Amino acid sequence: MRILVIADIHANLAALKAVIAEAERGGAIDRIWCLGDVVGYGAEPGECIDLLNSYPNDTIAGNHDLAAAGIIGIEDFNPLAAAAITWTKTQLSPEQEEWLRGLPQTHVEHDFTLVHGSLRDPVWDYLLSPSLAEVNFRRQNTPYCLVGHSHMPIAFKDIDGRIESEVPADGTVFDLDGVSFVANAGGLGQPRDGDKRSCFAILDTDAGRLEFRRVEYDVELTQAKMREAHLPPHLIERLSRGR
Ligand code: ZN
């Protein structure tokens, strides 16, 4: 099975299309695993939901998805994120809102646990430190865990109780050889590591490998759509910088 692993689409349709096209260049995608935040920040939330749902997928709820679905309030969001969520709510069809409302906060499939933040706090934790990775490993009942939320490609491996961190680059491969890890492939729709290219990963369950990838997308097109929607300028400009 060939699974496309993505996180933090954030209503960036051009990025989602570019990632799917690049993934399909290497062969058919059997399934998509999406680690949350399909919507928020960007200008095409409904289109992203529909494109994602044109593939078999397991999608986890992110904080922006929960807020757009009205399950959590916007008071814990910064003002720009809150403004984008308020706008997003006006853009969704009842079916799209219902789909967001039904998303689970964790999902276990094969040897993997999927969660947006961490297994300590599925919605809000930024899993960026070895100490939080250790907390996560204690709650992880599968060898491997995939997360989103920080928009940063980063991974932690549990080498006989010692936590090692690693920043996966384009082309980095993790072999599924029993060494436990928790990994974030990075942000698809709003990368924050200083590289504006979209992040994704390809999991090949037959070959037992997870490959981290980057791909260029039409940043200007996404920014033009955001300008048309009068979304906050900072959210538009940061896509050029990838942070
Ligand atoms: Zn996000």
Side-chain angles (χ1 to χ4, degrees):
M1 183 125 92
R2 206 163 167 273
I3 300 169
L4 170 60
V5 178
I6 55 178
D8 298 284
I9 299 168
H10 284 298
N12 187 339
L13 184 65
L16 181 57
K17 282 181 175 173
V19 162
I20 289 174
E22 182 63 20
E24 287 181 333
R25 228 185 300 279
I29 299 168
D30 299 306
R31 203 162 184 86
I32 296 178
W33 285 355
C34 175
L35 287 315
D37 281 358
V38 180
V39 305
Y41 294 138
E44 292 168 284
E47 292 85 346
C48 286
I49 291 174
D50 291 349
L51 178 54
L52 179 59
N53 280 329
S54 69
Y55 289 82
N57 68 84
D58 297 291
T59 298
I60 298 302
N63 49 319
H64 290 255
D65 303 320
L66 292 168
I71 293 171
I72 61 173
I74 56 170
E75 57 279 355
D76 289 330
F77 288 82
N78 71 56
L80 298 183
I85 286 163
T86 301
W87 177 85
T88 298
K89 283 183 171 181
T90 68
Q91 302 298 308
L92 300 173
S93 70
E95 293 76 22
Q96 290 161 345
E97 207 186 308
E98 194 56 38
W99 179 78
L100 286 177
R101 207 171 289 131
L103 296 177
Q105 292 193 3
T106 59
H107 180 74
V108 175
E109 191 81 36
H110 301 290
D111 283 341
F112 285 82
T113 303
L114 317 182
V115 64
H116 183 61
S118 85
L119 295 173
R120 182 183 70 178
D121 185 336
V123 179
W124 292 107
D125 260 346
Y126 289 94
L127 212 164
L128 291 167
S129 67
S131 57
L132 186 48
E134 199 173 359
V135 171
N136 201 80
F137 280 127
R138 281 204 293 270
R139 293 167 189 238
Q140 196 175 309
N141 295 319
T142 56
Y144 316 113
C145 182
L146 296 168
V147 301
H149 193 49
S150 70
H151 303 200
M152 304 286 276
I154 190 161
F156 299 91
K157 288 182 177 173
D158 182 350
I159 319 271
D160 299 323
R162 194 180 72 250
I163 310 294
E164 279 187 7
S165 63
E166 183 175 343
V167 176
D170 184 19
T172 295
V173 172
F174 284 5
D175 290 315
L176 309 184
D177 54 7
V179 173
S180 275
F181 63 75
V182 52
N184 187 336
L188 181 149
Q190 193 200 76
R192 291 181 188 164
D193 63 339
D195 182 341
K196 66 180 181 181
R197 294 177 300 165
S198 262
C199 302
F200 66 103
I202 300 285
L203 171 64
D204 186 329
T205 57
D206 301 321
R209 68 203 294 272
L210 177 70
E211 182 178 10
F212 297 85
R213 295 290 315 279
R214 301 296 286 247
V215 69
E216 307 253 6
Y217 73 95
D218 193 340
V219 176
E220 288 77 19
L221 175 61
T222 290
Q223 290 174 319
K225 301 262 183 186
M226 291 172 78
R227 249 177 253 118
E228 267 171 48
H230 304 289
L231 286 160
H234 171 72
L235 298 179
I236 301 171
E237 290 152 13
R238 69 184 304 175
L239 296 178
S240 303
R241 300 187 298 269
R243 70 167 83 246

